[in-house]
Every structure is written in structure tokens, then in C-alpha cells.
């Protein structure tokens, strides 16, 4: 299959959506599918140059990424227009002979627009939701109405947890039969425990997160002084950056905890494991989470996890690998204290885990439970199902858009009609047969590595 993964959020930006896109794409490529990424222009944080045009990312297979000349508006999100990106999207879809458009994340403008474009072009579409949203605040109400409109023509929806699935169905009133729950995963081989790196004299609590309000940094500001006052041998390692970092630094200076709280700043994903293996406990204070890959990575590295009991977090880890707490300072502090008392053994000269918790065994369990190969295989089954469905006619699409609302339905229909006629103009201006398509190349060796003919065939294809 030929698949386009589309989102405003991708490398060099780091986060759960970005890692999901990259990991899923690589496993789909390894299974023999053609996968491309479509996103907008990014500024490289290292070289400070603009990352634009077509790039290839390393991995098990060559991952082709289109960094389209679309300027982000705010928070790396493109300006919503529902027209200006149609020409370049159509050109890419035809050039790459895309069969499935797979959009990611509710707040991504490109993702929402691409679903509408796919319906107009007669291409199957799939959407993956990564976050939880509310029902009462103005931003959530507007986003829910936009999602209801953009998902009207989608063929299937994937959510990263059962909680996320229920939340999406209630927010958008979607047909539950097309909404699937496929959890995230990690590459456990890259997150292995290393007891030799763990401090033997002091207990280390690790926090790696974006330092923003949604991640519960205000809770962390209240917890750190309380834990440090109760335990003389506990230190904190904080990795990440964001708007709430200043509040943490002010608290550390006010409480004079400079020697017990270490700030690492933004941590590249390749270095996350090296930070995690230094700790004993991983602390997640999020106020809302649909899945939380970070606690999976921490548990795989052998850390015991303490987390707020929000969203899909209770679905992620077995009960003996995590302590859950309500998102308030006092209870979270008590749960951290419980984790230190019950899981850490400080009676000897060397600080270590109690016999009731085995970091190596925890890693092996995570390796068995979560796998990107399994996620890719389940996603492929969704792709196969949507390819069997008939594409919607213009009349059927307008009927679905009309059901969005008594007034907004007409607005969405007007946008859809303008897209339809704009597409007709583009087809007249640049017919599909005038766009050069990308030829297929055999980029992977055959299963029989000793087959000389297959080696020669691979060599010839790569040379061409």
C-alpha cells in the first residue's frame, strides 16, 4: 500500500505524536509498504536553517518527508484555509500515487484539511487521535465542532487508548463501529535498564516532560519542597523545557534546593534512556493524558512509575509497576512517599530496589506487551478495511457535512463546494497525467539473502 502520514507535528519537533509518526512509518516500511510524511516547514534547532523541501530520514528504510512551504501560525500549527494547501497536496498525492491518507492529531490544521482533500480526490482516509479534550471551555467547543466537520467523511478512526476512543466518540458523535483503539508502543531494545548507572548513595526521582501547564508542572512545583523536607536522601532530575520552567527555577531558588534539583533542559530523544537509567522513580504529573509514552519508556528502563490517574494512564502499565494518584499536591506527595518507602531499600550501604520490584523483569514485560510491529500490523488491518469501502459521492459528502449543525452545516457545505470547484480548476490547469509519478524501486533485500539474482536486482534498482 502507498500511505501518506500527515500532521503539522513532526521532526525536528519532539513529542509523542512525532515519535508515533516516525516509528509507525518505519515499521510500515519494514513490512513492505510505501510511506511518506507530509508536514510544513520547520526551523532546525541545531543549524537554525529552515528544513524545507524533500528530505530522507534514516531508519530501517528510507523515510521520505515532504516539508511543504507552509508557514506555521502558532505552536507549529499551519494557518487554516481549506484551500491554499490543496494544490500542493493534490500534486504530492498524484506524484506518489497515494492510496491512503492517514492524518494525525486533532489540533493539526494539515491533518484536518487533508481528510477533506482525500474525500474530494477519492482517496481512502484514516485519522488517529492522540489527545483528550473537554466539552465546556470555548477552545474545546470550537475544536469539537471542527473535528465533527472534518471527520464526517473519514473512513476509519484510530485512538491510542480506550479512554481516548470514548472521549472522541462523545465529542464528535462518531459511529463507534469505525473507531478503533490501537495503543502506542516503544522500541524496548532502546530503553534497557543499566543498574551500574544508578546512584548508590541517593534516591533519584526523574521527571522528563514538556514544562507546560498541561503536564502538571504546577503540581511539581508544590511536590518537590515537600518531598525534599521529608527525605534527606532524595534528589530530582528534571529534563525538558517550556513556559513553566521559570516557575520551577524560582521555587528551587526560593527553597534553596539548588544542590538537590538538577535541570537538564531539552533532552534529545536519543539521550532520554541515558537520563532515565540514573533514576529510581519516574514521576509524571500530567493533568491530562490519552496514553503517555514517557511512563512506558521509564518502566522499560527499570524505573518504578508514579503518575497522576488521568485519561488513559491507568490502561498503560500493570498495577504492580505503577502507583496512581489524584492530580492534587497532597495526594501525589503521599503516593511518592509510599513509592519510596515500599519500593526502595535504604537499609544497607547501597540504595537499591526491594526484592518485590525487579527492573529487569519489568523491562521484559514491557517488551512483551508493547511493540511497534504489532501496532503496524493492526493499523494495516484498518487500512485494508477502508480500501474495501466505496468512496462517497459529492451528494453523500454534502449530506454528512449538513449534519454538523443547523447553521455550521451550511457553512461547511459551502466550503466543500468551493473545494470541489477549485479542484476542478486545478484538474483543468494541471491534469493528473501531466504530473510525473515516482517510480517504484526495490529498496529492501529479498528474504533469501543468498539469492545472487535478488542481490543483483537490488543493486541495479539502487543504481537506477
Amino acid at each position: 500500500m502507498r500511505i501518506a502520514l500527515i500532521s503539522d507535528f513532526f521532526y525536528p519537533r519532539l513529542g509523542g505524536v512525532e515519535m508515533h509518526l516516525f516509528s509507525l512509518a518505519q515499521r510500515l516500511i519494514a513490512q513492505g509498504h510505501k510511506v511518506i510524511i507530509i508536514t510544513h516547514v520547520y526551523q532546525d534547532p541545531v543549524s537554525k536553517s529552515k528544513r524545507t523541501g524533500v528530505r530522507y530520514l534514516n531508519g530501517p528504510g528510507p523515510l521520505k518527508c515532504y516539508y511543504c512551504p507552509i508557514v506555521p501560525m502558532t505552536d507549529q500549527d499551519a494557518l487554516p484555509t481549506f484551500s491554499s494547501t490543496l494544490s500542493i497536496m493534490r500534486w504530492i498525492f498524484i506524484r506518489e500515487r497515494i492510496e491512503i491518507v492517514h492524518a494525525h492529531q486533532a489540533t493539526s490544521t494539515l491533518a484536518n484539511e487533508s481528510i477533506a482533500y482525500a474525500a474530494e480526490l477519492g482517496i481512502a482516509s484514516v485519522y488517529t487521535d492522540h489527545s483528550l479534550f473537554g466539552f465546556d471551555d470555548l477552545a474545546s467547543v470550537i475544536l469539537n465542532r471542527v473535528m465533527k466537520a472534518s471527520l464526517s467523511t473519514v473512513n476509519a478512526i484510530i485512538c491510542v487508548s480506550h479512554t481516548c476512543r470514548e472521549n472522541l466518540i462523545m465529542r464528535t458523535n462518531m459511529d463507534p463501529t469505525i473507531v478503533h483503539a490501537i495503543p502506542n508502543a516503544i522500541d524496548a531494545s532502546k530503553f534497557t535498564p543499566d543498574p551500574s548507572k544508578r546512584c548508590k548513595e541517593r534516591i533519584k526521582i526523574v521527571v522528563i516532560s514538556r514544562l507546560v501547564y498541561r503536564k502538571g508542572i504546577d503540581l511539581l512545583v508544590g511536590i518537590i519542597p515537600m518531598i525534599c523536607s521529608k527525605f534527606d536522601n532524595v534528589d530530582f532530575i528534571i529534563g525538558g523545557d517550556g513556559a513553566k520552567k521559570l516557575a520551577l527555577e524560582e521555587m528551587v531558588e526560593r527553597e534553596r534546593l539548588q544542590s538537590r534539583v538538577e535541570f537538564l533542559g531539552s533532552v534529545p530523544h536519543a539521550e532520554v534512556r541515558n537520563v532515565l537509567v540514573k533514576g529510581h522513580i519516574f514521576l509524571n504529573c500530567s493533568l491530562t493524558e490519552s496514553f503517555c509514552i514517557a511512563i512506558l519508556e521509564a518502566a522499560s528502563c527499570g524505573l518504578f512509575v508514579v503518575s497522576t490517574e488521568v485519561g488513559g494512564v491507568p490502561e498503560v502499565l500493570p498495577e504492580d509497576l505503577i502507583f496512581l494518584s489524584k492530580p492534587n499536591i497532597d495526594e501525589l506527595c503521599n503516593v511518592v512517599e509510599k513509592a519510596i518507602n515500599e519500593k526502595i531499600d535504604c537499609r544497607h550501604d547501597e540504595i537499591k530496589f526491594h526484592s518485590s520490584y525487579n527492573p529487569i523483569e519489568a523491562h521484559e514485560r514491557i517488551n512483551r506487551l508493547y511493540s511497534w510491529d504489532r501496532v503496524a500490523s493492526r493499523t494495516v488491518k484498518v487500512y485494508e478495511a477502508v480500501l474495501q469501502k466505496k468512496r462517497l459521492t459529492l451528494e453523500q459528502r454534502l449530506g454528512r457535512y449538513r449534519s454538523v449543525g443547523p447553521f455550521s452545516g451550511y457553512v461547511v457545505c459551502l466550503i466543500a463546494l468551493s473545494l470541489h470547484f477549485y479542484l476542478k480548476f486545478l484538474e483543468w490547469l494541471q491534469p493528473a497525467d501531466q504530473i510525473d509519478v515516482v517510480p517504484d524501486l526495490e529498496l529492501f533485500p529479498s528474504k533469501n539473502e543468498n539469492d545472487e539474482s535478488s542481490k543483483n536486482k537490488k543493486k541495479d534498482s539502487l543504481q537506477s
Side-chain angles (χ1 to χ4, degrees), residues 360-423:
I360 305 299
E361 181 184 344
H363 167 77
E364 293 172 352
R365 292 173 67 184
I366 298 300
N367 193 26
R368 290 193 301 268
L369 289 171
Y370 294 97
S371 164
W372 281 114
D373 286 318
R374 189 180 297 115
V375 171
S377 298
R378 294 178 65 180
T379 304
V380 166
K381 290 181 180 179
V382 175
Y383 292 161
E384 292 171 346
V386 301
L387 287 176
Q388 301 300 320
K389 295 182 179 180
K390 293 182 179 180
R391 305 285 85 82
L392 299 174
T393 64
L394 176 61
E395 183 179 357
Q396 290 172 327
R397 294 199 302 273
L398 291 177
R400 293 195 178 189
Y401 289 139
R402 174 66 184 84
S403 65
V404 172
F407 173 74
S408 55
Y410 288 107
V411 175
V412 178
C413 286
L414 183 62
I415 296 174
L417 285 171
S418 64
L419 275 180
H420 179 74
F421 290 113
Y422 182 38
L423 181 60

Side-chain angles (χ1 to χ4, degrees), residues 132-430:
L132 302 176
F133 294 95
F135 304 87
D136 51 356
D137 59 292
L138 180 61
S140 295
V141 170
I142 294 173
L143 179 62
N144 294 343
R145 188 55 59 90
V146 170
M147 290 300 299
K148 187 174 181 179
S150 62
L151 295 180
S152 297
T153 58
V154 77
N155 298 114
I157 299 173
I158 297 172
C159 296
V160 296
S161 67
H162 292 282
T163 302
C164 181
R165 178 179 181 272
E166 294 170 3
N167 177 262
L168 180 71
I169 291 172
M170 288 190 292
R171 289 191 293 116
T172 60
N173 197 26
M174 294 299 298
D175 178 8
T177 60
I178 69 167
V179 186
H180 311 270
I182 302 178
N184 274 314
I186 63 169
D187 185 352
S189 63
K190 296 180 180 178
F191 294 92
T192 55
D194 187 354
S196 64
K197 299 293 178 61
R198 196 179 297 129
C199 183
K200 297 177 175 56
E201 293 80 25
R202 301 185 65 81
I203 300 171
K204 301 287 185 178
I205 299 178
V206 179
V207 179
I208 298 182
S209 164
R210 288 195 298 272
L211 304 183
V212 295
Y213 171 78
R214 186 177 73 84
K215 293 296 183 178
I217 304 305
D218 291 325
L219 296 178
L220 187 61
V221 169
I223 292 167
I224 292 177
M226 297 173 67
I227 294 297
C228 289
S229 64
K230 290 183 178 181
F231 299 94
D232 294 333
N233 60 339
V234 173
D235 297 333
F236 285 81
I237 301 175
I238 301 176
D241 205 350
K244 288 289 184 178
K245 184 178 181 181
L246 180 61
L248 280 171
E249 292 174 335
E250 289 177 345
M251 176 275 297
V252 169
E253 185 174 354
R254 181 173 62 252
E255 302 292 336
R256 298 181 180 180
L257 298 174
Q258 290 89 341
S259 62
R260 301 184 62 181
V261 180
E262 180 183 1
F263 289 98
L264 303 180
S266 181
V267 180
H269 192 261
E271 297 297 323
V272 170
R273 182 259 177 188
N274 295 334
V275 175
L276 290 174
V277 294
K278 297 178 181 178
H280 300 83
I281 295 173
F282 182 82
L283 178 59
N284 173 51
C285 302
S286 294
L287 302 178
T288 172
E289 285 284 359
S290 60
F291 185 83
C292 194
I293 294 180
I295 64 175
L296 261 189
E297 295 173 344
S300 182
C301 287
L303 281 74
F304 187 80
V305 177
V306 174
S307 175
T308 48
E309 190 176 5
V310 296
V313 170
E315 301 177 31
V316 179
L317 290 174
E319 295 181 355
D320 57 330
L321 299 183
I322 185 172
F323 282 164
L324 297 172
S325 164
K326 299 298 181 184
N328 65 71
I329 293 176
D330 291 333
E331 183 169 345
L332 195 54
C333 183
N334 291 336
V335 173
V336 172
E337 183 179 353
K338 177 184 175 183
I340 294 172
N341 291 330
E342 295 186 10
K343 299 299 178 180
I344 309 297
D345 186 356
C346 302
R347 293 173 297 176
H348 307 286
D349 294 337
E350 178 184 341
I351 293 177
K352 57 184 180 181
F353 285 106
H354 278 297
S355 57
S356 60
Y357 183 76
N358 188 333
I360 305 299
E361 181 184 344
H363 167 77
E364 293 172 352
R365 292 173 67 184
I366 298 300
N367 193 26
R368 290 193 301 268
L369 289 171
Y370 294 97
S371 164
W372 281 114
D373 286 318
R374 189 180 297 115
V375 171
S377 298
R378 294 178 65 180
T379 304
V380 166
K381 290 181 180 179
V382 175
Y383 292 161
E384 292 171 346
V386 301
L387 287 176
Q388 301 300 320
K389 295 182 179 180
K390 293 182 179 180
R391 305 285 85 82
L392 299 174
T393 64
L394 176 61
E395 183 179 357
Q396 290 172 327
R397 294 199 302 273
L398 291 177
R400 293 195 178 189
Y401 289 139
R402 174 66 184 84
S403 65
V404 172
F407 173 74
S408 55
Y410 288 107
V411 175
V412 178
C413 286
L414 183 62
I415 296 174
L417 285 171
S418 64
L419 275 180
H420 179 74
F421 290 113
Y422 182 38
L423 181 60
K424 295 296 183 185
F425 171 72
L426 290 175
E427 290 173 348
W428 170 80
L429 187 66
Q430 188 180 36

